[in-house]
Coordinates of all heavy atoms in Angstrom, one line a residue:
A61 N 2.7 0.4 0.3 CA 3.4 1.2 -0.6 C 2.5 1.6 -1.7 O 2.6 0.9 -2.8 CB 4.7 0.2 -1.2
M62 N 1.9 2.6 -1.6 CA 0.9 3.0 -2.6 C 1.5 3.4 -4.0 O 0.8 3.4 -4.9 CB 0.1 4.3 -2.0 CG -0.7 3.9 -0.8 SD -1.7 5.4 -0.3 CE -2.3 4.9 1.3
N63 N 2.8 3.7 -3.9 CA 3.4 4.0 -5.2 C 4.0 2.8 -5.9 O 4.8 2.8 -6.9 CB 4.5 5.0 -5.0 CG 5.6 4.6 -4.1 OD1 5.4 3.5 -3.3 ND2 6.7 5.2 -3.8
H64 N 3.6 1.7 -5.4 CA 4.1 0.3 -6.0 C 3.6 0.3 -7.5 O 2.5 0.5 -7.7 CB 3.7 -0.9 -5.3 CG 4.5 -2.2 -5.6 ND1 4.2 -2.8 -6.8 CD2 5.3 -2.9 -4.9 CE1 5.0 -3.8 -6.9 NE2 5.6 -4.0 -5.8
P65 N 4.4 -0.1 -8.5 CA 3.9 -0.1 -9.9 C 2.9 -1.0 -10.2 O 2.1 -0.9 -11.1 CB 5.2 -0.5 -10.7 CG 6.2 -1.0 -9.7 CD 5.8 -0.4 -8.4
D66 N 2.7 -2.1 -9.2 CA 1.7 -3.1 -9.5 C 0.3 -2.8 -8.7 O -0.6 -3.7 -8.6 CB 2.1 -4.6 -9.2 CG 3.1 -4.9 -10.3 OD1 2.9 -4.8 -11.5 OD2 4.1 -5.7 -9.9
L67 N 0.3 -1.7 -8.0 CA -0.9 -1.2 -7.5 C -1.6 -0.3 -8.3 O -0.9 0.6 -8.8 CB -0.7 -0.8 -6.0 CG -0.4 -1.9 -4.9 CD1 0.1 -1.2 -3.6 CD2 -1.4 -2.7 -4.8
V68 N -2.9 -0.3 -8.4 CA -3.7 0.6 -9.0 C -3.8 1.9 -8.2 O -4.9 2.1 -7.5 CB -5.1 0.1 -9.6 CG1 -5.7 1.1 -10.5 CG2 -4.7 -1.2 -10.3
S69 N -3.0 3.0 -8.2 CA -2.9 3.9 -7.2 C -4.0 4.8 -7.1 O -4.5 5.3 -6.2 CB -1.6 4.9 -7.4 OG -1.6 5.3 -8.7
E70 N -4.7 5.0 -8.3 CA -5.9 5.9 -8.3 C -7.0 5.3 -7.5 O -8.0 6.0 -7.2 CB -6.3 6.1 -9.9 CG -6.8 5.0 -10.6 CD -5.6 4.4 -11.4 OE1 -4.5 4.5 -11.0 OE2 -6.0 3.8 -12.4
H71 N -7.0 4.1 -7.2 CA -8.1 3.4 -6.4 C -7.7 3.2 -4.9 O -8.4 2.3 -4.2 CB -8.5 2.2 -7.2 CG -9.3 2.3 -8.4 ND1 -9.2 1.4 -9.4 CD2 -10.0 3.4 -8.8 CE1 -9.9 2.0 -10.4 NE2 -10.4 3.0 -10.2
I72 N -6.6 3.8 -4.5 CA -6.0 3.5 -3.1 C -6.0 4.8 -2.4 O -5.4 5.8 -3.1 CB -4.7 2.7 -3.1 CG1 -4.9 1.5 -4.0 CG2 -4.3 2.6 -1.7 CD1 -3.5 0.7 -4.1
R73 N -6.6 5.0 -1.2 CA -6.4 6.1 -0.5 C -6.4 5.9 1.0 O -6.8 4.8 1.3 CB -7.5 7.2 -0.8 CG -9.0 6.6 -0.5 CD -10.0 7.6 -0.9 NE -11.4 7.1 -0.9 CZ -12.1 7.2 0.2 NH1 -11.7 7.7 1.3 NH2 -13.4 6.5 0.2
G74 N -5.9 6.8 1.8 CA -5.7 6.7 3.2 C -7.1 7.2 3.9 O -7.8 8.0 3.2
V75 N -7.3 6.8 5.1 CA -8.4 7.4 5.8 C -7.9 8.8 6.4 O -6.8 9.0 7.0 CB -8.7 6.5 7.1 CG1 -9.8 7.1 8.0 CG2 -9.2 5.2 6.6
S76 N -8.7 9.8 5.9 CA -8.3 11.2 6.3 C -8.2 11.3 7.8 O -9.1 10.9 8.7 CB -9.4 12.2 5.8 OG -9.1 13.5 6.1
G77 N -7.1 12.0 8.4 CA -7.0 12.3 9.8 C -6.3 11.2 10.5 O -6.0 11.4 11.6
S78 N -6.1 10.0 10.0 CA -5.6 8.9 10.7 C -4.0 8.9 10.4 O -3.5 9.7 9.8 CB -6.1 7.6 10.3 OG -5.8 7.1 9.0
L79 N -3.3 7.9 10.8 CA -1.9 7.7 10.5 C -1.8 7.6 9.0 O -2.7 7.1 8.3 CB -1.4 6.5 11.2 CG -1.4 6.4 12.7 CD1 -1.2 5.0 13.2 CD2 -0.5 7.3 13.3
S80 N -0.6 8.0 8.6 CA -0.4 7.9 7.1 C -0.5 6.6 6.6 O 0.0 5.6 7.2 CB 0.9 8.6 6.8 OG 1.2 8.4 5.4
G81 N -1.3 6.4 5.4 CA -1.3 5.0 4.9 C -0.2 4.6 4.0 O 0.0 3.5 3.5
M82 N 0.7 5.6 3.6 CA 1.9 5.4 2.8 C 3.1 5.0 3.6 O 3.3 5.4 4.6 CB 2.2 6.7 2.2 CG 3.5 6.7 1.3 SD 3.4 5.6 -0.1 CE 2.5 6.7 -1.2
C83 N 3.8 3.8 3.1 CA 4.9 3.4 3.6 C 6.0 4.5 3.5 O 6.1 5.3 2.6 CB 5.6 2.2 2.9 SG 4.6 0.8 3.1
T84 N 6.9 4.6 4.6 CA 8.1 5.5 4.4 C 9.5 4.6 4.6 O 10.5 5.1 4.3 CB 8.1 6.5 5.6 OG1 8.1 5.8 6.9 CG2 6.8 7.3 5.5
Q85 N 9.2 3.3 5.1 CA 10.4 2.4 5.3 C 10.1 1.1 4.4 O 9.3 0.2 5.0 CB 10.7 2.1 6.7 CG 10.9 3.3 7.6 CD 11.1 3.0 9.0 OE1 11.5 2.0 9.3 NE2 10.4 3.9 9.9
S86 N 10.7 0.9 3.3 CA 10.2 -0.1 2.4 C 10.6 -1.4 2.9 O 10.0 -2.5 2.6 CB 10.9 0.0 1.0 OG 12.3 0.0 1.1
D87 N 11.6 -1.5 3.8 CA 12.1 -2.8 4.3 C 11.4 -3.1 5.8 O 11.9 -4.1 6.5 CB 13.7 -2.8 4.6 CG 14.1 -1.7 5.5 OD1 13.4 -0.7 5.8 OD2 15.3 -1.7 5.8
N88 N 10.4 -2.3 6.2 CA 9.9 -2.5 7.5 C 8.8 -3.6 7.4 O 8.0 -3.7 6.4 CB 9.1 -1.2 7.9 CG 8.6 -1.4 9.3 OD1 7.4 -1.8 9.4 ND2 9.4 -1.0 10.3
V89 N 8.7 -4.5 8.5 CA 7.7 -5.6 8.3 C 6.4 -5.3 8.4 O 5.4 -5.9 7.7 CB 8.0 -6.7 9.5 CG1 7.8 -6.0 10.9 CG2 7.4 -7.9 9.2
A90 N 6.0 -4.1 9.0 CA 4.5 -3.7 9.0 C 4.2 -3.2 7.7 O 3.1 -3.4 7.2 CB 4.3 -2.5 9.9
C91 N 5.2 -2.5 6.9 CA 4.9 -2.1 5.5 C 4.8 -3.2 4.7 O 3.9 -3.2 3.8 CB 6.0 -1.0 5.3 SG 5.7 -0.1 3.7
A92 N 5.6 -4.2 4.8 CA 5.6 -5.4 4.0 C 4.3 -6.2 4.2 O 3.7 -6.5 3.1 CB 6.9 -6.3 4.4
H93 N 3.8 -6.2 5.3 CA 2.6 -7.0 5.7 C 1.4 -6.2 4.9 O 0.4 -6.9 4.3 CB 2.2 -7.1 7.1 CG 1.3 -8.0 7.6 ND1 -0.1 -7.8 7.6 CD2 1.5 -9.3 7.9 CE1 -0.7 -8.8 7.9 NE2 0.2 -9.8 8.2
G94 N 1.3 -4.9 5.1 CA 0.2 -4.2 4.5 C 0.2 -4.3 3.0 O -0.9 -4.4 2.4
T95 N 1.4 -4.1 2.5 CA 1.5 -4.1 0.9 C 1.1 -5.4 0.4 O 0.5 -5.7 -0.7 CB 2.9 -3.7 0.5 OG1 3.2 -2.4 1.1 CG2 3.2 -3.5 -1.0
F96 N 1.5 -6.4 1.2 CA 1.3 -7.9 0.8 C -0.2 -8.0 0.7 O -0.7 -8.6 -0.4 CB 1.8 -8.8 1.8 CG 1.5 -10.3 1.6 CD1 2.3 -11.1 0.7 CD2 0.5 -10.8 2.3 CE1 2.1 -12.4 0.5 CE2 0.2 -12.4 2.0 CZ 0.9 -13.1 1.1
V97 N -1.0 -7.8 1.7 CA -2.4 -7.9 1.7 C -3.1 -7.0 0.6 O -4.0 -7.5 0.0 CB -2.9 -7.7 3.2 CG1 -4.5 -7.8 3.2 CG2 -2.4 -8.6 4.1
A98 N -2.5 -5.8 0.6 CA -3.1 -4.9 -0.5 C -3.0 -5.5 -1.9 O -3.8 -5.3 -2.7 CB -2.5 -3.7 -0.5
G99 N -2.0 -6.2 -2.1 CA -1.6 -6.8 -3.4 C -2.7 -8.0 -3.7 O -3.1 -8.2 -4.8
I100 N -3.0 -8.7 -2.7 CA -4.0 -9.8 -2.8 C -5.3 -9.3 -3.3 O -6.0 -9.7 -4.1 CB -4.1 -10.7 -1.6 CG1 -2.9 -11.4 -1.3 CG2 -5.3 -11.6 -1.7 CD1 -2.9 -12.1 0.0
L101 N -5.6 -8.1 -2.7 CA -6.9 -7.5 -3.0 C -7.0 -6.6 -4.2 O -7.8 -6.7 -5.0 CB -7.4 -6.7 -1.8 CG -7.7 -7.3 -0.4 CD1 -7.7 -6.3 0.7 CD2 -9.1 -8.0 -0.6
A102 N -5.9 -5.9 -4.4 CA -6.1 -4.7 -5.3 C -4.8 -4.5 -6.4 O -4.7 -3.5 -6.9 CB -6.4 -3.4 -4.6
A103 N -4.0 -5.5 -6.5 CA -3.0 -5.3 -7.4 C -3.5 -5.4 -8.9 O -4.6 -5.8 -9.1 CB -1.9 -6.5 -7.2
R104 N -2.6 -5.0 -9.7 CA -3.0 -5.1 -11.3 C -3.1 -6.6 -11.6 O -2.3 -7.4 -11.1 CB -2.0 -4.4 -12.1 CG -1.8 -2.9 -11.8 CD -0.9 -2.2 -12.8 NE -0.6 -0.8 -12.4 CZ -1.3 0.1 -12.6 NH1 -2.4 -0.1 -13.5 NH2 -1.1 1.4 -12.3

């Protein structure tokens, strides 16, 4: 969820040409897992 207010969005980007890195379903477990790990690494 790259638009999460606690993520520093200007330092997050997807790999060009691959699957979209942005969540489209906020209640999905894959999206929850990716956002959880991203928060450990790069949250505010």
